[in-house]
Amino acid sequence: MFLHGVGTGDVEDGWQVALSGALVRLGYPALEPDRWTAPKYAFALLNGDGKYRLPPIIVKQPGKDEARTNRREFERRTSAMEYRLGRHEDVPTWPGAGTVVDVAFETNPFKPAHNYLHDKQARARVLTRVLDTLPDSGELLIVGHSLGSVVAADLVRRLLAGLKVVGMITIGSPLASGSVRATDLREAMQEPPTNLGWWVNFWNGFDPVAAHRGLSSVMPWLLDLRVTTPPGPRVHDAVEYLSDRRVAEAIGYAMYGSLSTELVHTVNAVDVPLDSEERIVLLALRYAHLVGTHLKDDQKDRFLGALRAVQATAVEAMLQRRDTEGRPRPEQIARLAFDLADPAAEASPPAPGAYLTKEDALVQLIVLASDNFLRPFDIGFSEGVKRQAMRDLTAELGLGSVLGADVLDAVERAEKVLTGGKGPNWIKIGALGAGAVAIVVATGGLALAAGAGLAGAAALTSALAAFGPGGMIGGLITAGSLVTAGGGGIAFGLASSGTSAEAVESIVMRQLAAVILRQKLDLEQDPAVWHLFVETERQVRRTHERLDEYSDPKSPVLVELRKKIQILERALEFMREQGLEPEPETRSTTAAH
């Protein structure tokens, strides 16, 4: 159904022709005349043929729990549309565009929408006329232009129970404009109606009717996308909006479904081994799915929804990296792929990982125990869930469930050492964030080679270039590298003013947790950890002394430096007390090296 604006000329007859052409170009069939309707209601806005009652609200606002579930399901469908249509594109600038548009809109373009909302009889006549053209049941796509978008927003909750709105598309909508005064309607639509599949609003930055900002400012749950048609006297016309590929794509998908012919599951005759970055990502996804099995109710729903989005993005990134580098796709990764644009598609868990030695697993397990593996989402869960999932994971790896508890104990003990016995702050521990990026920049990425030499440094730098230091994959790779990285470069990065005290604490904690776990498992210690702490402390102290002589005592820079010094002092003191200070010959050999 197409709800048009008033005064749109031949749009009532011509929009279907324009849109049919766009759909055919995209590969969709042409629109069939019996599948669409464009109710005419211009006369109903001005004159009446009797008294009408405002059609009742059929779709009521759900209760608290039902509203939360509905909002989450709506967001899943909205995210699928966002993935399908893409995010905002940069709009080119056209000199003098504002003048051209202003001349075209010297008259008030908001008057019809304002009159509709504030004339009860006109509103009742329009809604009744539109409802009379609709069937009693079935699926419905609503496309509303200008005033039609206001009618659409007002109409959707008044539809008969047998009608399911698969989606609603609005173009050139004035609902966010203060001139329309649609406060009551916006307040009534603070939650997505339960009969609405999704709502995508397209707006043009040059269209004054669209308030230059879209609708998400007043209804944050819908999806706003900006079209890129050039400015001109007809910038508000429906045909201009309908000429945008993404508008046609949204309509075509609602009416005909996906055109994608990609295979989700790719099988190789001979399986391809995983590289080190892929192994840590699959291990993290496996751990996340194990965590999900121990959660309940709303927390489980939120966690699995976030995991679904993270897995789809991570798997796509790993496969794209393989394709870019001309390497075959591993079966273990390809089988986890699914179409995020399909809201019904589910994320399959990775198969249990191959057996690892304790030495090989140590770093990866510490990262999983102390990092946010659902980045950019942030969902807390209890220590009990964390422990049970980690025990399940280490048991699957052939390392015994006790090791899972040992890993978390080491992380907790390391954090208590650095905070003076306060215990771990899991949110702070998992938020390495910009600190890691600063260290990567400061060291050129080479200090993160985890002792693997120049070849390892090159591989790591390549991986970070492909995935970025942030995000789920880059975050895991960076955090794992920082557990074992040492040398002057990393010390310089930690001492840098661009690295916060919290980031230093997070990195030192992970390294100290590895020291504690090695001691617990009777594994050989890495003397580079001690030297890293010593060198970082030296650089931080020197910076503090240089700045302290002239700066204000409570300068934020000095406060951060003192926090760093305290963190490093506590780490070194703990290692001394535990007899983990390197022997003199080890110190001199490592320093000379």
Side-chain angles (χ1 to χ4, degrees):
M1 176 177 65
F2 179 69
L3 299 174
H4 53 84
V6 174
T8 53
D10 61 352
V11 169
E12 295 178 26
D13 300 318
W15 76 274
Q16 190 235 359
V17 176
L19 187 54
S20 294
L23 291 179
V24 170
R25 287 196 299 274
L26 289 171
Y28 290 102
L31 289 175
E32 301 169 11
D34 61 347
R35 295 193 65 184
W36 62 272
T37 179
K40 298 181 180 181
Y41 45 80
F43 177 77
L45 280 170
L46 303 175
N47 301 291
D49 51 359
K51 293 287 186 178
Y52 287 83
R53 286 186 177 182
L54 198 65
I57 301 294
I58 303 297
V59 180
K60 306 296 184 181
Q61 283 288 91
K64 183 177 180 181
D65 292 341
E66 186 183 351
R68 182 172 55 194
T69 300
N70 177 60
R71 183 76 170 259
R72 192 159 300 146
E73 292 174 350
F74 188 90
E75 171 57 31
R76 180 163 171 164
R77 296 189 296 268
T78 300
S79 295
M81 288 301 294
E82 182 177 33
Y83 181 82
R84 178 175 299 281
L85 300 177
R87 298 183 181 275
H88 284 224
E89 298 177 357
D90 290 334
V91 178
T93 58
W94 285 278
T99 302
V100 173
V101 175
D102 288 344
V103 169
F105 287 91
E106 288 180 352
T107 59
N108 185 354
F110 307 107
K111 188 174 180 179
H114 180 276
N115 291 346
Y116 168 82
L117 288 172
H118 299 282
D119 183 334
K120 292 183 179 179
Q121 266 301 296
R123 187 176 183 182
R125 289 194 299 268
V126 170
L127 288 171
T128 301
R129 181 177 290 270
V130 173
L131 286 170
D132 285 346
T133 67
L134 299 178
D136 294 338
S137 62
E139 293 187 338
L140 180 68
L141 166 68
I142 301 176
V143 180
H145 168 247
S146 193
L147 169 63
S149 71
V150 180
V151 177
D154 197 19
L155 175 76
V156 66
R157 295 173 302 128
R158 306 176 194 275
L159 296 172
L160 295 178
L163 279 172
K164 176 186 176 183
V165 185
V166 296
M168 186 156 74
I169 297 167
T170 50
I171 52 180
S173 175
L175 276 171
S177 172
S179 301
V180 174
R181 292 171 55 192
T183 304
D184 291 344
L185 181 57
R186 294 198 298 249
E187 288 180 354
M189 295 283 281
Q190 285 305 297
E191 292 289 334
T194 56
N195 64 334
L196 179 60
W198 42 261
W199 182 352
V200 182
N201 176 66
F202 293 92
W203 61 284
N204 191 324
F206 297 110
D207 182 358
V209 178
H212 306 291
R213 65 186 304 187
L215 299 184
S216 57
S217 58
V218 293
M219 283 173 276
W221 44 268
L222 58 74
L223 176 61
D224 254 335
L225 292 176
R226 182 168 54 187
V227 304
T228 57
T229 56
R234 300 178 62 86
V235 69
H236 179 62
D237 286 6
V239 173
E240 291 294 308
Y241 278 96
L242 294 173
S243 67
D244 187 277
R245 178 186 178 90
R246 288 172 300 168
V247 179
E249 176 74 16
I251 295 173
Y253 174 69
M255 297 187 68
Y256 299 105
S258 175
L259 290 177
S260 175
T261 58
E262 295 181 3
L263 294 177
V264 172
H265 188 194
T266 303
V267 178
N268 293 306
V270 179
D271 197 16
V272 178
L274 303 174
D275 59 33
S276 58
E277 290 79 21
E278 293 164 343
R279 284 195 296 271
I280 182 62
V281 175
L282 290 195
L283 190 66
L285 291 176
R286 180 65 186 175
Y287 177 55
H289 279 277
L290 290 173
V291 168
T293 63
H294 297 291
L295 300 176
K296 296 180 180 179
D297 303 327
D298 176 68
Q299 186 182 44
K300 182 172 186 175
D301 290 341
R302 291 189 294 112
F303 184 90
L304 294 181
L307 174 56
R308 177 180 178 274
V310 167
Q311 178 168 320
T313 304
V315 169
E316 181 182 18
M318 289 188 291
L319 293 177
Q320 186 175 19
R321 176 188 175 217
R322 284 271 179 169
D323 294 343
T324 300
E325 297 175 357
R327 295 188 293 158
R329 296 181 166 193
E331 163 65 13
Q332 296 178 66
I333 299 176
R335 65 175 292 272
L336 301 178
F338 63 93
D339 185 4
L340 191 58
D342 179 3
E346 297 294 339
S348 301
Y355 285 4
L356 296 173
T357 65
K358 291 182 178 179
E359 180 71 40
D360 291 338
L362 182 144
V363 171
Q364 298 180 32
L365 294 175
I366 287 176
V367 170
L368 294 183
S370 61
D371 198 76
N372 179 12
F373 49 81
L374 284 184
R375 191 181 290 117
F377 300 96
D378 195 354
I379 302 174
F381 44 89
S382 70
E383 178 70 10
V385 168
K386 187 186 294 283
R387 285 186 172 273
Q388 187 56 58
M390 186 61 73
R391 290 172 67 94
D392 293 344
L393 182 65
T394 55
E396 287 183 353
L397 295 172
L399 301 172
S401 60
V402 174
L403 179 61
D406 289 341
V407 170
L408 289 168
D409 287 342
V411 172
E412 183 174 356
R413 188 180 181 191
E415 184 66 13
K416 284 184 176 179
V417 168
L418 302 184
T419 59
K422 294 180 182 178
N425 182 335
W426 295 110
I427 294 177
K428 183 171 67 175
I429 290 172
L432 189 56
V437 177
I439 294 171
V440 171
V441 172
T443 63
L446 298 181
L448 305 182
L454 292 178
L460 179 64
T461 304
S462 173
L464 290 177
F467 302 121
M472 184 264 197
I473 301 179
L476 290 173
I477 295 172
T478 303
S481 301
L482 290 170
V483 172
T484 52
I490 187 68
F492 175 79
L494 289 172
S496 168
S497 60
T499 306
S500 68
E502 280 194 355
V504 170
E505 180 182 326
S506 182
I507 295 165
V508 171
M509 180 279 298
R510 287 174 169 89
Q511 296 223 10
L512 193 59
V515 168
I516 294 170
L517 195 55
R518 288 178 186 279
Q519 186 182 43
K520 173 77 173 180
L521 302 177
D522 294 323
L523 297 174
E524 183 180 355
Q525 293 290 344
D526 181 3
V529 176
W530 171 271
H531 296 288
L532 169 63
F533 293 168
V534 168
E535 177 60 20
T536 304
E537 183 195 31
R538 183 190 70 78
Q539 293 193 33
V540 174
R541 283 190 183 279
R542 177 63 198 127
T543 302
H544 179 273
E545 291 305 307
R546 179 166 53 84
L547 300 180
D548 183 51
E549 191 64 31
Y550 304 107
S551 301
D552 292 336
K554 294 184 179 181
S555 162
V557 174
L558 291 180
V559 171
E560 284 288 290
L561 289 170
R562 292 182 193 120
K563 288 179 180 178
K564 291 183 182 182
I565 291 171
Q566 186 179 57
I567 290 165
L568 293 160
E569 283 180 338
R570 287 173 172 171
L572 289 167
E573 182 61 26
F574 173 81
M575 292 184 69
R576 281 195 196 95
E577 292 174 352
Q578 297 297 313
L580 299 174
E581 184 179 6
E583 296 296 327
E585 59 271 19
T586 305
R587 288 187 231 165
S588 59
T589 302
T590 306
H593 179 70

